[in-house]
């Protein structure tokens, strides 16, 4: 079974997370597929809009926890970092359709999307601290900018999940819908955008993102260095081992 589905319809490229048995946890292979698809799309004028989606009950449970233990990203060329650079630099508008849990990178990737539609069952979480890690995807800068310092500090330091209505109120999502309507709604919105002049779409997005571009790249590098260091640390190891053993982590000695 293909863990990432690629569909092209008109000018819309849709990338679907499709590893449902593992709650769409993202592996190195999946990041590589996503990075390749986005790099190809960036160079393809026929792609006018990109959509990310999962299913009506699940967006993504974030990075595969087993891979964090077995084969953590080794350097800047690791597929996860290629994916993050590709999504951050994507010239076309990106939409996301989010239902159910969106954990870790499942939420931070939304900061690189231009429009986000979610189901009333969406549950966003940034559990980095609870996993002995730190933010990634430039979320340490983009999240406070988007939702304000107080809310971002709460979400990043406590790492507790928050629901669709709060995400809407914070400005993280554009609209909340019944879960079984979200993907279809995002497709309809993407088709609407794809019918608009492509050069104007790209120019508008580029202008909106330009003031941040260099900062985002720098912050991603800084975060990656810290993230890789923490990933090898005892707290992260305890958190991941506990998750896979289906027990609560014990940080009392750490
Ligand atoms: N990495 C690897 N495997 C994962 C996973 C992940 N991020 N998320 C879920 N899975 C696996 C579980 O180990 C389980 O596998 P099994 O059936 O072989 O035992 C299966 O997917 C179902 O997971 P489960 O936790 O039973 O599903 P749920 O619907 O009760 O809960 C989540 C869904 C997303 C809330 C929960 O799975 C979760 O919290 N996942 C971990 C998220 C995480 O810490 N991600 C890292 C972020 S940096």
């Amino acid at each position: 079974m293909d863990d990432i589905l690629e569909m092209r319809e008109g000018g819309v490229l849709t990338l679907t997370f499709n590893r449902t048995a593992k709650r769409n946890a993202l592996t190195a292979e999946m990041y590589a597929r996503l990075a390749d698809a986005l790099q190809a799309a960036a160079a393809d004028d026929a792609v006018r809009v990109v959509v990310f989606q999962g299913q009506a009950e699940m967006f993504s449970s974030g990075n595969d926890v087993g891979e964090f233990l077995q084969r953590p990203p080794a350097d800047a060329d690791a597929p996860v970092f290629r994916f993050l650079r590709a999504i951050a630099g994507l010239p076309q508008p990106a939409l996301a359709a989010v239902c159910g849990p969106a954990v870790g990178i499942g939420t931070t990737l939304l900061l690189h999307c231009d429009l986000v539609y979610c189901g009333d069952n969406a549950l966003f979480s940034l559990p980095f601290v609870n996993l002995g890690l730190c933010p990634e995807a430039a979320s340490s800068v983009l999240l406070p900018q988007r939702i304000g310092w107080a809310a971002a500090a709460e979400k990043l330091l406590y790492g507790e999940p928050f629901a669709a209505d709060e995400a809407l109120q914070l400005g993280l999502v554009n609209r909340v819908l019944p879960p079984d309507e979200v993907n279809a709604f995002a497709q309809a919105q993407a088709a609407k955008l794809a019918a608009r002049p492509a050069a104007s779409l790209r120019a508008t997005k580029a202008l909106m993102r330009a003031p941040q571009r260099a900062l985002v790249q720098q912050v991603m590098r800084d975060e990656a260095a810290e993230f890789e260091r923490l990933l090898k640390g005892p707290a992260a190891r305890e958190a991941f081992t506990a998750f896979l053993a289906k027990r609560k982590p014990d940080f009392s000695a750490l």
Side-chain angles (χ1 to χ4, degrees), residues 17 49-54 59-60 87 93-103 105-125 142-143 146-147 162-178 181-187 189-190 193 205 208-209:
F17 305 134
V49 182
V50 175
V51 178
F52 296 92
Q53 65 180 22
F59 186 62
S60 172
I87 192 172
L95 278 64
V98 182
C99 293
V103 186
I105 198 166
T107 287
T108 58
L109 75 80
L110 304 176
L111 299 167
H112 300 280
C113 293
D114 304 290
L115 295 154
V116 182
Y117 303 110
C118 79
D120 55 21
N121 64 343
L123 205 56
F124 304 86
S125 68
L142 293 178
L143 194 68
R146 177 77 75 89
I147 70 174
F162 55 103
D165 53 350
E166 191 178 352
L168 181 67
Q169 176 222 320
L170 290 171
L172 192 63
V173 307
N174 292 83
R175 188 160 171 159
V176 181
L177 297 141
E181 293 175 17
V182 177
N183 286 5
F185 183 81
Q187 287 297 325
Q189 294 299 102
L193 277 186
K205 172 163 180 169
M208 288 176 76
R209 298 271 174 186

Side-chain angles (χ1 to χ4, degrees), residues 19-26 58 60-68 101-106 123 125-128 131 133 136 227 240 243-244 246:
R19 192 177 174 226
T20 50
K22 294 290 181 183
R23 304 296 187 265
N24 293 338
L26 295 164
M58 177 63 53
S60 172
S61 61
N63 200 100
D64 186 284
V65 167
E67 288 210 349
F68 265 154
V103 186
I105 198 166
L123 205 56
S125 68
L126 300 157
F128 303 112
L131 298 170
L133 297 171
E136 34 73 324
F227 197 94
F240 301 142
F243 174 75
L244 294 174
K246 301 188 190 294

Side-chain angles (χ1 to χ4, degrees), residues 190-230:
K192 205 194 270 187
L193 277 186
R196 287 171 161 72
S200 289
L201 289 177
R202 286 185 181 224
T204 302
K205 172 163 180 169
L207 288 162
M208 288 176 76
R209 298 271 174 186
Q212 302 272 72
R213 195 170 301 281
L215 177 65
V216 163
Q217 298 298 336
Q218 181 58 50
V219 170
M220 277 189 186
R221 280 194 292 272
D222 294 346
E223 288 173 343
E226 194 65 25
F227 197 94
E228 283 173 44
R229 190 180 66 78
L230 288 167

